[in-house]
Amino acid sequence: MTKQPPSLQDLRREIDSIDEQVHGLLIQRGDIIDRLISVKKTQEVGSAFRPAREADMMRRLAQRHRGILPLDTIESIWRVIISTFTYVQSPFSVHADLSVGESAMRDSARFHFGFTVPFLAHFNAEAAVEAVAKSKGDLALISAVSSRSPWWSALEPAAAPKIIARLPFVERADHPAALPVFVVSRVAADAMVTEVEMWSVRVSGWSADVARALSPFSEIIAVPDTASDGAALLISVPGTDGLAKITAALVAAGASVRSSALVGSHATRYTVPPTTASK
């Protein structure tokens, strides 16, 4: 006998069963987080944000994903799950620098942190960083491609917040929250990921030629310092010897380094292959 295909009612019952299981698993995850709070006493030490673990989770998520559900959707769901449970462990707010545009920054915040985490707007990066510095475990979102001032100078002291992530982490064409942003917060040292180091560097003799000489080695945000014929730079360099290469390139191009300070680090972004990104 020919096997009859399932009816719409049968398929809908399967969907209802899966939905119930998904909800049950989220409740179980919440129960584990509740026990984690008791064991690690997270609420006593500030933010529970763990960039290294999160980067590993999101990388594995993108690598194993398949099927008709868009990666955009599954990434956003997981980001909201992670952020919300982090918030449950240790409440925090997102301080956003709106000087690069309110709409794109809000899209980034909501895609990566959902609606449960409070969103606090600021007119410039300095105000967002200052708010995080005064908080117990908040974080700031600041443009990773341009700046009107060297806001990263405030991250130089040892006790200051640091750059802990760069979003979006899962890179692909037409990302729904494509605005490149740095995440600034104060987290435990063992939670950091150091695949890409972030350096605050002040130089003399800055010029377009010097900028071109550095471009093969790193991503740079530069703010001119006309008083000293130089610039304040925020430099992203991979590996542990990246600053030495940058310093050598600066000197070879005719500039000199006046000061440098490590102001954070983040994971190497995961780029989705074009065939996967389109699914």
Side-chain angles (χ1 to χ4, degrees):
M1 295 178 63
T2 303
K3 186 177 180 180
Q4 295 295 320
S7 66
L8 288 176
Q9 187 175 8
D10 291 336
L11 293 173
R12 286 167 181 157
R13 274 197 295 264
E14 286 187 45
I15 291 174
D16 290 342
S17 176
I18 291 171
D19 289 346
E20 186 175 345
Q21 292 175 57
V22 170
H23 190 194
L25 289 172
L26 289 174
I27 292 173
Q28 289 182 40
R29 196 182 198 279
D31 291 341
I32 295 173
I33 293 296
D34 197 24
R35 288 153 48 198
L36 183 69
I37 292 172
S38 300
V39 172
K40 299 184 70 174
K41 295 184 174 15
T42 307
Q43 292 177 331
E44 296 181 2
V45 298
S47 175
F49 198 63
R50 303 190 69 82
R53 175 169 168 76
E54 181 174 317
D56 182 61
M57 291 172 65
M58 297 309 299
R59 187 180 290 113
R60 287 187 283 113
L61 175 75
Q63 289 173 341
R64 71 171 179 253
H65 184 62
R66 61 181 178 81
I68 65 171
L69 186 64
L71 180 58
D72 293 344
T73 302
I74 203 68
E75 181 190 3
S76 181
I77 289 172
W78 245 256
R79 290 288 324 196
V80 171
I81 288 173
I82 293 170
S83 298
T84 302
F85 277 114
T86 301
Y87 178 80
V88 169
Q89 291 182 63
S90 182
F92 66 95
S93 296
V94 172
H95 298 267
D97 167 26
L98 302 188
S99 62
V100 296
E102 180 175 355
S103 178
M105 186 61 79
R106 282 188 181 273
D107 284 349
S108 179
R110 294 314 184 197
F111 182 91
H112 291 101
F113 300 98
F115 286 87
T116 299
V117 178
F119 177 91
L120 302 177
H122 297 271
F123 289 112
N124 54 52
E126 289 87 351
V129 170
E130 182 180 4
V132 169
K134 293 179 178 178
S135 75
K136 188 176 181 180
D138 290 358
L139 57 82
L141 298 183
I142 301 173
S143 171
V145 293
S146 64
S147 179
R148 299 173 183 173
S149 61
W151 55 266
W152 51 87
S153 298
L155 310 183
E156 293 181 0
K162 305 298 178 187
I163 295 170
I164 63 171
R166 197 275 199 188
L167 301 175
F169 172 69
V170 181
E171 292 277 10
R172 58 189 176 278
D174 301 322
H175 194 290
L179 178 68
V181 296
F182 289 125
V183 181
V184 175
S185 187
R186 186 184 285 108
V187 298
D190 63 355
M192 296 287 283
V193 54
T194 58
E195 295 169 355
V196 177
E197 292 182 342
M198 302 297 306
W199 287 86
S200 171
V201 178
R202 292 184 180 273
V203 300
S204 297
W206 181 251
S207 67
D209 289 338
V210 175
R212 283 191 290 270
L214 294 185
S215 60
F217 303 103
S218 64
E219 295 180 354
I220 299 172
I221 299 177
V223 177
D225 182 0
T226 55
S228 62
D229 187 31
L233 311 178
L234 179 61
I235 301 178
S236 306
V237 289
T240 56
D241 61 345
L243 184 63
K245 294 179 180 178
I246 291 297
T247 301
L250 283 167
V251 173
S256 60
V257 176
R258 293 157 49 202
S259 66
S260 62
L262 185 66
V263 293
S265 59
H266 62 80
T268 302
R269 301 191 299 278
Y270 177 78
T271 301
V272 178
T275 54
T276 303
S278 62
K279 292 182 180 178

